[in-house]
Amino acid sequence: MAIYQSVILATIISAVTAFQAAKILRSSSKLAMSFDDVGALPPTGFFDPLGISNDKTPAQLKKFREAEIKHGRVAMVAALGILVGESFNPLFDGKISGPAIYQFQEADDILSTFWVGVLFLIGLIEGQTIITGWESPSEASGKAVADLKADYTPGDLGFDPLGLKPTDADALATIRTKEIQNGRLAMLGVAGMVAQELVNGKGILENFSS
């Protein structure tokens, strides 16, 4: 139980750090400055201990940022879905239960076309991303792989139905940093949840209550 309490405490501290409106750390790295300072916070700044960004062009780094934001968003939704799905699941007459890692298979057993709907939804989102952010075939002519458009901001698909996007540049940078930091936390959190459920076959909430 002490281990679980430690995990909860670490998660809370990480979440508070991710949400706090800390000043974005301006890295002295020429490579970092040429790309984007968003997501770089003290004390680490532009954190790349493995040198993955070495010898990468700004266009390649922009793709990395696009992938990071997208995976972070998916992970945030997944983290919420795991906790909610294991405690409250009104779909399919409540027949789906147990660890979240097996609930997709359960849904597919009940409705054989379930995966088709999920794939269609993913296709819509990816299609919109391609149209909005990526170079067209003519623009990418001569390239092995297309790049993101020069005027495209990673993660900005123009979807803001509640009008939450700030107009001030500094406020926008702060919001983007919060999203990236929470996305990073969610990716680690979901990986931990999945690993735990694979280890003992119990749901996350069941692990905390046992």
Short mmCIF file of all heavy atoms in Angstrom, two decimals, residues 86 98-102 194-204 206-207:
data_model
loop_
_atom_site.label_atom_id
_atom_site.label_comp_id
_atom_site.label_asym_id
_atom_site.label_seq_id
_atom_site.Cartn_x
_atom_site.Cartn_y
_atom_site.Cartn_z
N GLU A 86 -13.35 1.66 -16.34
CA GLU A 86 -13.29 0.59 -15.35
C GLU A 86 -14.25 0.81 -14.18
O GLU A 86 -14.48 -0.09 -13.38
CB GLU A 86 -11.87 0.43 -14.81
CG GLU A 86 -10.91 -0.10 -15.86
CD GLU A 86 -9.51 -0.34 -15.33
OE1 GLU A 86 -9.25 0.00 -14.16
OE2 GLU A 86 -8.67 -0.88 -16.09
N GLY A 98 -14.08 -5.14 -16.27
CA GLY A 98 -12.74 -5.66 -16.06
C GLY A 98 -11.66 -4.68 -16.49
O GLY A 98 -11.93 -3.52 -16.79
N PRO A 99 -10.40 -5.15 -16.55
CA PRO A 99 -9.28 -4.29 -16.92
C PRO A 99 -9.48 -3.61 -18.28
O PRO A 99 -9.98 -4.24 -19.22
CB PRO A 99 -8.09 -5.27 -16.97
CG PRO A 99 -8.49 -6.38 -16.06
CD PRO A 99 -9.97 -6.52 -16.23
N ALA A 100 -9.10 -2.37 -18.37
CA ALA A 100 -9.32 -1.59 -19.59
C ALA A 100 -8.58 -2.15 -20.79
O ALA A 100 -9.02 -1.99 -21.94
CB ALA A 100 -8.89 -0.14 -19.36
N ILE A 101 -7.45 -2.83 -20.57
CA ILE A 101 -6.65 -3.32 -21.69
C ILE A 101 -7.37 -4.42 -22.48
O ILE A 101 -6.97 -4.74 -23.61
CB ILE A 101 -5.28 -3.85 -21.22
CG1 ILE A 101 -5.45 -4.96 -20.17
CG2 ILE A 101 -4.42 -2.73 -20.69
CD1 ILE A 101 -4.14 -5.62 -19.77
N TYR A 102 -8.45 -4.98 -21.91
CA TYR A 102 -9.19 -6.03 -22.61
C TYR A 102 -10.57 -5.56 -23.07
O TYR A 102 -11.31 -6.33 -23.68
CB TYR A 102 -9.36 -7.26 -21.70
CG TYR A 102 -8.06 -7.83 -21.20
CD1 TYR A 102 -7.78 -7.89 -19.84
CD2 TYR A 102 -7.09 -8.30 -22.10
CE1 TYR A 102 -6.58 -8.40 -19.38
CE2 TYR A 102 -5.89 -8.82 -21.64
CZ TYR A 102 -5.64 -8.87 -20.28
OH TYR A 102 -4.44 -9.38 -19.83
N VAL A 194 -0.98 0.27 -18.13
CA VAL A 194 -1.04 -0.92 -18.99
C VAL A 194 -0.12 -2.00 -18.45
O VAL A 194 -0.48 -3.18 -18.38
CB VAL A 194 -0.65 -0.55 -20.44
CG1 VAL A 194 -0.48 -1.80 -21.29
CG2 VAL A 194 -1.71 0.37 -21.05
N ALA A 195 1.09 -1.60 -18.05
CA ALA A 195 2.04 -2.58 -17.50
C ALA A 195 1.49 -3.24 -16.25
O ALA A 195 1.60 -4.46 -16.07
CB ALA A 195 3.37 -1.89 -17.20
N GLN A 196 0.87 -2.43 -15.37
CA GLN A 196 0.33 -2.98 -14.13
C GLN A 196 -0.79 -3.98 -14.41
O GLN A 196 -0.86 -5.04 -13.79
CB GLN A 196 -0.20 -1.85 -13.25
CG GLN A 196 -0.80 -2.30 -11.92
CD GLN A 196 0.20 -3.02 -11.04
OE1 GLN A 196 1.29 -2.51 -10.81
NE2 GLN A 196 -0.15 -4.20 -10.58
N GLU A 197 -1.67 -3.65 -15.36
CA GLU A 197 -2.78 -4.55 -15.67
C GLU A 197 -2.29 -5.83 -16.34
O GLU A 197 -2.87 -6.90 -16.16
CB GLU A 197 -3.81 -3.84 -16.55
CG GLU A 197 -4.51 -2.70 -15.81
CD GLU A 197 -5.72 -2.17 -16.55
OE1 GLU A 197 -5.94 -2.57 -17.71
OE2 GLU A 197 -6.45 -1.35 -15.96
N LEU A 198 -1.21 -5.73 -17.10
CA LEU A 198 -0.64 -6.93 -17.72
C LEU A 198 0.02 -7.83 -16.68
O LEU A 198 0.03 -9.06 -16.83
CB LEU A 198 0.40 -6.52 -18.78
CG LEU A 198 -0.15 -5.96 -20.10
CD1 LEU A 198 0.99 -5.42 -20.95
CD2 LEU A 198 -0.93 -7.02 -20.87
N VAL A 199 0.55 -7.24 -15.63
CA VAL A 199 1.24 -8.01 -14.60
C VAL A 199 0.29 -8.91 -13.82
O VAL A 199 0.54 -10.10 -13.63
CB VAL A 199 2.01 -7.08 -13.64
CG1 VAL A 199 2.47 -7.83 -12.40
CG2 VAL A 199 3.21 -6.47 -14.35
N ASN A 200 -0.83 -8.33 -13.34
CA ASN A 200 -1.70 -9.13 -12.48
C ASN A 200 -3.13 -9.29 -12.99
O ASN A 200 -3.96 -9.91 -12.34
CB ASN A 200 -1.72 -8.55 -11.06
CG ASN A 200 -2.26 -7.13 -11.01
OD1 ASN A 200 -2.76 -6.60 -11.98
ND2 ASN A 200 -2.12 -6.51 -9.84
N GLY A 201 -3.45 -8.72 -14.17
CA GLY A 201 -4.78 -8.91 -14.74
C GLY A 201 -5.88 -8.19 -14.00
O GLY A 201 -7.06 -8.49 -14.21
N LYS A 202 -5.52 -7.23 -13.15
CA LYS A 202 -6.53 -6.47 -12.41
C LYS A 202 -6.60 -5.05 -12.94
O LYS A 202 -5.62 -4.51 -13.45
CB LYS A 202 -6.18 -6.42 -10.92
CG LYS A 202 -6.20 -7.76 -10.21
CD LYS A 202 -5.86 -7.59 -8.74
CE LYS A 202 -5.89 -8.91 -7.99
NZ LYS A 202 -5.55 -8.73 -6.55
N GLY A 203 -7.79 -4.43 -12.82
CA GLY A 203 -7.96 -3.06 -13.22
C GLY A 203 -7.19 -2.12 -12.31
O GLY A 203 -6.84 -2.49 -11.18
N ILE A 204 -6.94 -0.91 -12.76
CA ILE A 204 -6.16 0.07 -11.99
C ILE A 204 -6.86 0.40 -10.67
O ILE A 204 -6.25 0.39 -9.60
CB ILE A 204 -5.93 1.34 -12.80
CG1 ILE A 204 -5.00 1.06 -13.99
CG2 ILE A 204 -5.31 2.43 -11.93
CD1 ILE A 204 -3.65 0.47 -13.61
N GLU A 206 -9.00 -1.35 -9.14
CA GLU A 206 -9.00 -2.55 -8.30
C GLU A 206 -7.66 -2.72 -7.60
O GLU A 206 -7.60 -3.15 -6.45
CB GLU A 206 -9.30 -3.78 -9.16
CG GLU A 206 -9.47 -5.08 -8.38
CD GLU A 206 -9.73 -6.27 -9.26
OE1 GLU A 206 -9.85 -6.07 -10.50
OE2 GLU A 206 -9.81 -7.39 -8.73
N ASN A 207 -6.58 -2.36 -8.29
CA ASN A 207 -5.26 -2.43 -7.68
C ASN A 207 -5.14 -1.47 -6.50
O ASN A 207 -4.53 -1.79 -5.48
CB ASN A 207 -4.18 -2.10 -8.71
CG ASN A 207 -3.75 -3.32 -9.52
OD1 ASN A 207 -3.15 -4.24 -8.99
ND2 ASN A 207 -4.07 -3.33 -10.80
#
